[in-house]
Amino acid sequence: MIYVLIITTGVLIFAAAAGSAWITAGLAVAVALYALLRRRRTRSPERKLGVTDGAAAVQLTLLAWQLASGNFALADRMLFPPPEKVLRLFWAELPDMWSGLLSSLFLLGSGYLLALAAAIPAGVAVGYSTRINAAGTPFIKVLSAIPPIVYIPYAIALLPSFSAASIFVIFVGAFWPVLVNTIHGVRQIAPEIVDSAKMLHLTKRAFFLRVILPGAMPSICTGATLGLVLGFLLLTAAELIGATEGLGWYVKNF
């Protein structure tokens, strides 16, 4: 595969040079050099092949793109502009994209951290207490089934600012996966472990911090991952609807 990478790099440089796309040619060389350096630092033969395969896939994609839209005009240049134009525009728009990224990360981080702070303690309480579990499970099953994207227009209309609306929607979207997985993790702790911890006469704080939370942590991490992914999707959807900055607004603007 290393020969495929070298040959593809040479062909791509020739194709880019024929179309005066020197930035594309430089990118091809950078990808090839990165792959070669990674191969030298990697000891595992399988990882070396993986690095080369990934770089070769990038080179083949660039080559097909350059030939189709840059050299032979096989694709509509309005829909598929040559890589040179895309790279130039990317560099020119980098400050705006950076400011939009910071805005989006602030909203995402605020809603997501609030969801973690609320869902983990609530999930531990519902999962550990049979009484709370019996009372709360019907509400959790009904409310968690509502798609969080439904709340976006209502949140934008009712809350005082778009930032508050976005944080609320992200909070709702991330809250339910974390809550449900936390409950599942607490309920899956072996009863023998709980009984042994009770025999040691631990304080409630030590019991929850040293037994319940560590036992449920794999499920909590799974829920936190799902909540983060869903929160990012909801953030983008909210910014497409009513934002004046951020990544979603940036996509809609273009």
Side-chain angles (χ1 to χ4, degrees), residues 115 148 151 168-178 226-227 230-231 234:
Y151 298 110
F168 171 76
V169 171
I170 294 166
F171 168 81
V172 173
F175 177 82
W176 294 116
V178 179
L226 294 174
L230 187 57
L234 290 170

Side-chain angles (χ1 to χ4, degrees), residues 136-151:
T137 297
F139 298 99
I140 294 172
K141 288 184 177 180
V142 172
L143 295 176
S144 63
I146 300 175
I149 199 170
V150 171
Y151 298 110

Side-chain angles (χ1 to χ4, degrees), residues 59-107:
Q59 296 283 42
L60 289 171
T61 302
L62 277 174
L63 178 60
W65 185 4
Q66 174 64 33
L67 292 176
S69 61
N71 292 79
F72 299 108
L74 299 176
D76 186 347
R77 293 194 177 187
M78 189 69 179
L79 297 177
F80 302 97
E84 176 85 3
K85 290 187 176 181
V86 175
L87 292 171
R88 288 183 182 276
L89 182 60
F90 179 86
W91 181 259
E93 293 291 325
L94 203 56
D96 291 336
M97 286 191 289
W98 177 249
S99 63
L101 177 63
L102 293 179
S103 174
S104 297
L105 287 178
F106 170 75
L107 298 176

Side-chain angles (χ1 to χ4, degrees), residues 139-228:
F139 298 99
I140 294 172
K141 288 184 177 180
V142 172
L143 295 176
S144 63
I146 300 175
I149 199 170
V150 171
Y151 298 110
I152 292 178
Y154 298 100
I156 293 176
L158 297 176
L159 292 177
S161 66
F162 175 79
S163 297
S166 297
I167 292 173
F168 171 76
V169 171
I170 294 166
F171 168 81
V172 173
F175 177 82
W176 294 116
V178 179
L179 177 68
V180 171
N181 279 274
T182 302
I183 295 172
H184 175 74
V186 174
R187 304 288 288 182
Q188 292 298 312
I189 297 175
E192 297 82 4
I193 297 176
V194 177
D195 294 337
S196 299
K198 289 181 178 179
M199 291 293 293
L200 297 174
H201 300 290
L202 297 175
T203 63
K204 287 187 176 181
R205 180 179 179 181
F207 176 71
F208 282 104
L209 292 179
R210 297 185 181 182
V211 179
I212 299 300
L213 273 179
M217 191 55 66
S219 292
I220 293 174
C221 291
T222 301
T225 303
L226 294 174
L228 181 61

Side-chain angles (χ1 to χ4, degrees), residues 103-145:
S103 174
S104 297
L105 287 178
F106 170 75
L107 298 176
L108 179 64
S110 301
Y112 181 67
L113 292 178
L114 287 173
L116 291 180
I120 293 176
V124 170
V126 175
Y128 181 73
S129 173
T130 304
R131 181 176 180 179
I132 299 177
N133 185 277
T137 297
F139 298 99
I140 294 172
K141 288 184 177 180
V142 172
L143 295 176
S144 63

